[in-house]
Amino acid sequence: MTFKAEYIWIDGTEPTAKLRSKTRILADGAELPIWGFDGSSTNQADGGSSDRVLKPVFTCPDPIRGGGNVLVLCEVLDIDMTPHSSNTRAALVEVAERFADQESWFGIEQEYTFFKEGRPLGFPIGGFPAPQGGYYCGVGADEVFGRDVVEKHLDLCLEAGLAISGINAEVMPGQWEFQVGPAGPVEVSDHMWIARWLLYRVAEDFNIAATLDAKPVKGDWNGAGAHTNFSTKAMREGYDPIITACEALAANAAEHVKHYGAGIEERLTGHHETAPWNKFSYGVSDRGASVRIPWQVEVEKKGYIEDRRPNANVDPYLVTRLIVDTCCSALEKAGQV
């Protein structure tokens, strides 16, 4: 007897990495071995020395194939078994372990847009739909497009055991969101990459493409983000650490934005519920701020913050590493741990 293991990895495409995968047949009960691939075909090597290594780091049931089959998320290594330059997970693991005692939690809100035949799902041929307004969390065939794909994706994520916590239709037609978390920085990132892979894979069956483009339609239409909610144990117990975290993000704003996804200047314009990409702000219940403090957090004097700057196409390993490193360092320095 055998089972199918779908090895999944993040490639070296710039400015936004792509997901790749291939199948290995293994004997029942077999350990998941390291494997290899041609890095010259994934922007991770040149043809003269193209072997790269796949190291399994996270496994879950394969909800598409079912049975005893599995999805296997891998880190990419060079042949000397050190992390490849495109491997952003390894650096996150190091930072997460360094600040593990602060118990960081994340919840990431992944927006995305469905496309079919070169235009967003719900956009008429050669024109535009009605202006934004009724699509967000809408209902009805005239305002919601792609729900069958979204519901199937949700079911697959649940069957895979991912920490998916919700879905909703977004502001632009054909635009949706799913949320992953709360979970630790490595777990939320691993689950997000698998959830993205499942989204692309299930959309295939409907002959629809899903894109994480930060500004899929130019003009008076919302972009697509990955709002990142964050807390530590101290933040969940008091308000002063929340302000410390916000001030730390302010002090490192330029460095963060640089790694928050390609095309961020097109999305963070100061319009469509965003703050300008080059001006940092934080405020209570303010969706026009860079970082929002939810109203109930101010009332209860404890909780979490929402970094609204990351693009939909952000690498979750990068955004969680930056936030943990910046905020936890500041909290440690302030003695708020």
Side-chain angles (χ1 to χ4, degrees):
M1 299 293 291
T2 61
F3 69 97
K4 302 169 187 173
E6 189 72 13
Y7 278 57
I8 299 168
W9 73 97
I10 298 106
D11 77 1
T13 301
E14 295 181 348
T16 302
K18 295 182 178 182
L19 283 162
R20 308 281 183 140
S21 70
K22 61 178 183 171
T23 307
R24 183 158 185 173
I25 310 302
L26 296 168
D28 280 355
E31 295 289 324
L32 293 170
I34 62 169
W35 203 10
F37 68 98
D38 172 15
S40 68
S41 298
T42 64
N43 301 300
Q44 289 167 302
D46 57 48
S49 181
S50 65
D51 287 340
R52 293 294 177 262
V53 177
L54 294 175
K55 173 190 173 185
V57 291
F58 172 74
T59 306
C60 65
D62 184 338
I64 296 175
R65 288 172 168 153
N69 302 304
V70 294
L71 302 179
V72 185
L73 184 65
C74 300
E75 284 189 17
V76 176
L77 308 179
D78 289 321
I79 57 174
D80 63 359
M81 299 299 143
T82 60
H84 184 265
S85 58
S86 65
N87 179 348
T88 54
R89 186 182 187 276
L92 167 62
V93 170
E94 180 183 330
V95 170
E97 289 176 350
R98 191 189 329 149
F99 295 107
D101 59 339
Q102 294 198 38
E103 299 179 22
S104 296
W105 290 357
F106 283 89
I108 301 178
E109 306 170 27
Q110 178 67 72
E111 295 179 347
Y112 60 93
T113 309
F114 286 135
F115 270 71
K116 190 176 180 68
E117 298 176 351
R119 62 184 184 279
L121 203 62
F123 274 53
I125 297 174
F128 292 90
Q132 296 181 161
Y135 307 110
Y136 173 72
C137 295
V139 63
D142 57 337
E143 293 188 333
V144 174
F145 310 93
R147 193 185 295 275
D148 49 354
V149 192
V150 172
E151 291 289 345
K152 182 64 175 176
H153 175 250
L154 175 60
D155 289 343
L156 293 175
C157 288
L158 290 171
E159 290 172 31
L162 303 183
I164 191 164
S165 49
I167 58 172
N168 61 267
E170 267 301 331
V171 176
M172 192 181 80
Q175 193 177 70
W176 291 82
E177 173 182 300
F178 65 86
Q179 302 94 36
V180 174
V186 177
E187 181 184 15
V188 79
S189 302
D190 287 346
H191 287 211
M192 179 59 75
W193 276 116
I194 293 292
R196 285 176 173 181
W197 186 90
L198 285 170
L199 176 66
Y200 299 143
R201 175 61 186 82
V202 72
E204 279 184 26
D205 293 341
F206 291 84
N207 196 29
I208 289 173
T211 177
L212 304 186
D213 192 312
K215 188 70 174 179
V217 180
K218 311 306 179 191
D220 193 19
W221 301 94
N222 270 39
H227 299 159
T228 300
N229 300 279
F230 168 74
S231 69
T232 65
K233 185 175 185 291
M235 294 166 67
R236 295 189 292 273
E237 295 176 349
Y239 198 70
D240 287 345
I242 287 171
I243 299 304
T244 298
C246 289
E247 291 291 341
L249 290 172
N252 293 273
E255 177 66 14
H256 281 234
V257 165
K258 186 167 65 175
H259 297 287
Y260 273 12
I264 202 159
E265 297 90 345
E266 295 182 4
R267 176 176 152 263
L268 298 185
T269 61
H271 303 289
H272 304 111
E273 299 181 290
T274 69
W277 67 272
N278 56 353
K279 294 182 180 179
F280 183 88
S281 60
Y282 67 90
V284 175
S285 196
D286 186 358
R287 283 179 166 77
S290 307
V291 171
R292 178 178 70 95
I293 301 173
W295 67 269
Q296 69 270 31
V297 171
E298 185 187 43
V299 170
E300 297 173 2
K301 299 302 178 186
K302 61 182 180 180
Y304 68 99
I305 58 176
E306 177 194 38
D307 192 335
R308 298 179 56 80
R309 296 170 296 168
N311 275 351
N313 56 16
V314 74
D315 178 348
Y317 294 135
L318 278 177
V319 69
T320 54
R321 177 177 63 80
L322 287 166
I323 291 176
V324 168
D325 201 4
T326 292
C327 294
C328 290
S329 293
L331 290 167
E332 186 175 76
K333 184 177 181 180
Q336 297 171 333
V337 296

